[in-house]
């Protein structure tokens, strides 16, 4: 590293820490100051990865505080509400999670989940803690391991009642990629007659540019699906019986598979049996290769359980992410990479790789949330995936993009893939924390 790049990295590290300090509440880190004031599930895991590079105390608190919202059946909600704030829609009164006998009594949460990256983060936090203080590391492990095991247990049972190896999601919010064109076909099937259009007021469009956010027709369906689960008092068997949205998602199951392996490692460190977690990871990887691999396109595609068939959308970044969990064999990995490089993901030529959706894909937008902008967490996951298969040059490109985008435009939620301009919220926590992780890996 040259002197200049060392001082550039030092400056970015300082700024990233300022962003996290700003969003830190003393218990958890807001994803962003105004748009997302509560605690979000996968955001917290990404944030813990960043804290693990310099403040293991906070990394640990972040995860412990998230798991305080866990339900008695293991469900880890996607939002744990801060009771002092009511500036987010949909707030806890919309979720009505008190209808479920499993929801916590002492605090309010949402009733959907998010991709299970937590064991991945917990493993990292544990390893960093162990370097500092073996006893504290052990204490952390003893408290977090049973919670993680219950979370994964819930996903492998309630969300996979037929033991296919793949967990289902039942709301686009559970994918983390809320308004990806991946879900358009399913959402289009939901016919909302006037009397079934929920009435509500969105707050998000008061905080950031409306053009950067999902459209009302998407929100109507998001809220309708919240009502569908609440009306069934969050009884999973009842929900899945007629859920309009029921998907075995590529990204969700990739992360579950990777997290199962990390959970096995944590089990070993604790003297517990890692074998069940390893077996689940193997089962998931096998199922992804059988059910979700599409040989014709050379991509992984999600599976629509409500209609029974693959989701034939060939342009989403998630199709490549099984690389992260070492799911494809070398031949499939090569196909994926050649697809990635020959499509509109800006791996070659100008622009910033990788947009969340192919720029030539139907439904692409360079500014609209999960319909095309570059997201730092997607780059981070794909970068690790490419590295696992030895695609160093491609991985390097993604690493450099993370740094370049933040340098040029700040800590935005997402970025225009052509101009690099920041969109959505500013001061976005996982942009800061994953940048910290990347620079830490560089030795910066
Ligand atoms: C976005 O989702 C929330 C709903 O959960 C929203 O739009 O209000 C998504 O980008 C999601 O992946 C993310 O976890 C959340 C907080 O950053 O914001």
């Amino acid at each position: 590293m040259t002197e200049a790049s060392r001082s550039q990295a030092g400056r970015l590290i300082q700024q990233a820490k300022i962003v996290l300090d700003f969003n830190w509440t003393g218990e958890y880190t807001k994803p962003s100051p105004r748009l997302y004031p509560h605690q979000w599930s996968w955001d917290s895991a990404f944030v813990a990865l960043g804290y693990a590079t310099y403040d293991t105390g906070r990394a640990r608190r972040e995860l412990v505080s998230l798991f305080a919202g866990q339900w008695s059946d293991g469900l880890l909600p996607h939002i744990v509400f801060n009771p002092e704030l009511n500036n987010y829609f949909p707030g806890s009164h919309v979720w009505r999670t008190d209808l479920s006998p499993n929801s916590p009594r002492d605090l309010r949460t949402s009733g959907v989940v998010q991709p299970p990256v937590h064991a991945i983060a917990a493993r990292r936090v544990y390893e960093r803690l162990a370097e500092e203080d073996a006893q504290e590391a052990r204490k952390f492990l003893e408290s977090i391991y049973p919670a993680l095991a219950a979370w994964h247990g819930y996903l492998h049972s309630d969300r996979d009642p037929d033991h296919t190896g793949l967990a289902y999601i039942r709301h686009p919010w559970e994918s983390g990629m809320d308004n990806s064109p991946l879900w358009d076909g399913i959402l289009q099937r939901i016919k909302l007659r006037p009397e079934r259009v929920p009435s509500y007021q969105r707050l998000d469009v008061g905080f950031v540019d409306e053009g950067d956010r999902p459209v009302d027709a998407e929100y109507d369906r998001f809220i309708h699906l919240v009502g569908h689960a609440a009306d069934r008092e969050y009884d999973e068997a009842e929900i899945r019986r007629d859920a309009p949205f029921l998907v075995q998602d590529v990204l969700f199951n990739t992360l579950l598979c990777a997290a199962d392996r990390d959970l096995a490692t944590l089990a070993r460190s604790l003297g517990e049996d890692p074998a069940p977690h390893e077996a689940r990871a193997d089962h998931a990887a096998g199922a992804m290769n059988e059910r979700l691999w599409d040989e014709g396109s050379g991509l992984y595609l999600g599976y629509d359980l409500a209609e029974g068939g693959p989701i034939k959308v060939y342009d989403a970044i998630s199709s490549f992410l099984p690389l992260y969990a070492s799911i494809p064999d070398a031949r499939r990995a090569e196909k994926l990479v050649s697809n990635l490089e020959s499509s509109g993901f800006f791996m070659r030529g100008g622009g910033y790789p990788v947009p969340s959706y192919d720029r030539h894909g139907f439904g692409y937008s360079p500014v609209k949330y999960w319909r095309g902008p570059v997201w730092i967490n997607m780059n981070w996951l794909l970068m690790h995936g490419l590295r696992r298969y030895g695609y160093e040059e491609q991985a390097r490109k993604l690493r450099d993009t993370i740094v370049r985008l933040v340098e040029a435009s700040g800590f935005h939620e997402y970025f225009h893939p052509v101009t690099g301009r920041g969109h959505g919220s500013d001061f976005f926590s996982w942009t800061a924390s994953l940048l910290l992780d990347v620079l830490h890996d560089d030795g910066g």
Side-chain angles (χ1 to χ4, degrees):
M1 222 193 241
T2 64
E3 196 45 52
S5 58
R6 218 190 319 275
S7 85
Q8 175 224 32
R11 218 175 28 249
L12 287 175
I13 288 172
Q14 281 314 104
Q15 291 168 356
K17 290 181 183 172
I18 290 171
V19 170
L20 293 180
D21 279 349
F22 195 76
N23 290 333
W24 173 246
T25 62
E27 293 296 328
Y28 72 93
T29 309
K30 300 175 187 178
S32 77
R34 297 200 311 151
L35 188 60
Y36 308 119
H38 302 290
Q39 183 167 27
W40 259 261
S41 167
W42 77 329
D43 297 65
S44 276
F46 288 128
V47 160
L49 285 168
Y51 283 142
T53 67
Y54 72 103
D55 187 341
T56 47
R58 265 203 210 171
R60 187 177 168 180
R61 292 242 322 255
E62 183 78 36
L63 291 177
V64 168
S65 126
L66 177 70
F67 275 92
Q70 186 169 30
W71 293 22
S72 61
D73 57 355
L75 181 154
L76 184 64
H78 100 301
I79 299 175
V80 180
F81 288 104
N82 180 337
E84 285 163 22
L85 303 172
N86 60 1
N87 50 349
Y88 177 76
F89 176 83
S92 58
H93 62 285
V94 179
W95 290 95
R96 296 181 280 142
T97 49
D98 49 331
L99 291 171
S100 165
N102 302 320
S103 66
R105 300 293 102 178
D106 50 343
L107 39 78
R108 305 300 295 268
T109 76
S110 72
V112 298
V113 301
Q114 275 189 326
V117 270
H118 314 86
I120 298 169
R123 176 181 172 184
R124 185 76 63 84
V125 174
Y126 168 73
E127 286 171 355
R128 293 271 149 80
L129 266 169
E131 287 161 18
E132 294 170 7
D133 183 335
Q135 232 179 341
E136 284 302 312
R138 174 92 198 170
K139 264 204 241 161
F140 169 67
L141 196 52
E142 281 170 356
S143 74
I144 204 81
Y145 175 79
L148 286 166
W151 166 220
H152 285 219
Y154 164 81
L155 291 174
H156 286 290
S157 57
D158 291 51
R159 297 306 186 95
D160 183 17
D162 298 328
H163 310 291
T164 62
L166 301 172
Y168 68 72
I169 57 173
R170 53 168 160 80
H171 194 295
W173 282 340
E174 295 198 324
S175 72
M177 308 177 76
D178 306 5
N179 73 336
S180 166
L182 277 172
W183 318 131
D184 288 1
I186 301 178
L187 296 181
Q188 261 163 21
R189 295 201 305 253
I190 303 178
K191 167 81 183 150
L192 291 181
R193 299 191 186 287
E195 67 280 7
R196 289 177 65 203
V197 177
S199 108
Y200 58 90
Q201 199 188 345
R202 288 176 63 173
L203 297 177
D204 57 325
V205 288
F207 295 133
V208 297
D209 193 328
E210 195 176 345
D212 291 359
R213 296 287 303 175
V215 297
D216 285 349
E218 286 160 345
Y219 254 82
D220 288 347
R221 281 152 186 84
F222 294 160
I223 301 309
H224 171 75
L225 290 172
V226 168
H228 177 272
D231 289 348
R232 284 150 189 76
E233 300 183 350
Y234 294 95
D235 178 325
E236 204 54 45
E238 286 298 315
I239 295 172
R240 81 170 80 92
R241 205 186 302 281
D242 62 350
F245 185 102
L246 210 63
V247 169
Q248 289 172 324
D249 176 44
V250 174
L251 175 63
F252 194 98
N253 283 289
T254 292
L255 294 172
L256 180 56
C257 176
D260 273 328
R261 295 204 194 286
D262 282 343
L263 194 54
T265 304
L266 291 175
R268 216 172 282 118
S269 308
L270 195 60
E272 297 276 338
D273 183 8
H277 306 304
E278 276 157 1
R280 282 168 171 173
D282 291 344
H283 190 197
M288 289 198 62
N289 279 320
E290 281 218 347
R291 176 171 264 200
L292 305 191
W293 174 255
D294 180 62
E295 184 62 27
S297 61
L299 293 169
Y300 288 90
L301 304 180
Y303 193 87
D304 176 355
L305 288 171
E307 285 273 285
I311 298 174
K312 294 184 183 165
V313 175
Y314 304 100
D315 302 299
I317 191 61
S318 48
S319 281
F320 304 98
L321 289 172
L323 292 166
Y324 178 78
S326 307
I327 288 168
D329 60 19
R331 184 190 70 87
R332 286 186 179 180
E334 202 185 319
K335 269 200 140 178
L336 285 174
V337 175
S338 99
N339 244 325
L340 181 69
E341 294 198 298
S342 60
S343 308
F345 288 98
F346 296 105
M347 289 300 283
R348 297 207 171 117
Y352 295 86
V354 281
S356 42
Y357 195 73
D358 189 317
R359 70 172 150 148
H360 304 303
F362 193 79
Y364 165 78
S365 156
V367 299
K368 223 170 189 30
Y369 211 37
W370 288 97
R371 302 182 78 87
V374 181
W375 287 77
I376 299 305
N377 62 342
M378 292 297 119
N379 271 30
W380 186 89
L381 290 165
L382 190 54
M383 172 190 82
H384 282 292
L386 289 164
R387 238 182 232 161
R388 267 168 210 162
Y389 288 81
Y391 292 100
E392 285 301 330
E393 191 197 319
Q394 293 85 342
R396 183 81 200 165
K397 238 179 229 171
L398 298 192
R399 178 257 168 232
D400 290 348
T401 305
I402 293 177
V403 178
R404 275 201 305 148
L405 281 173
V406 175
E407 252 228 307
S409 306
F411 292 85
H412 276 272
E413 190 179 1
Y414 40 94
F415 302 86
H416 191 301
V418 177
T419 64
R421 201 176 147 231
H423 284 268
S425 173
D426 196 356
F427 262 60
F428 192 65
S429 292
W430 86 41
T431 299
S433 63
L434 295 177
L435 176 83
L436 283 170
D437 181 71
V438 162
L439 294 176
H440 186 268
D441 275 357
D442 288 352

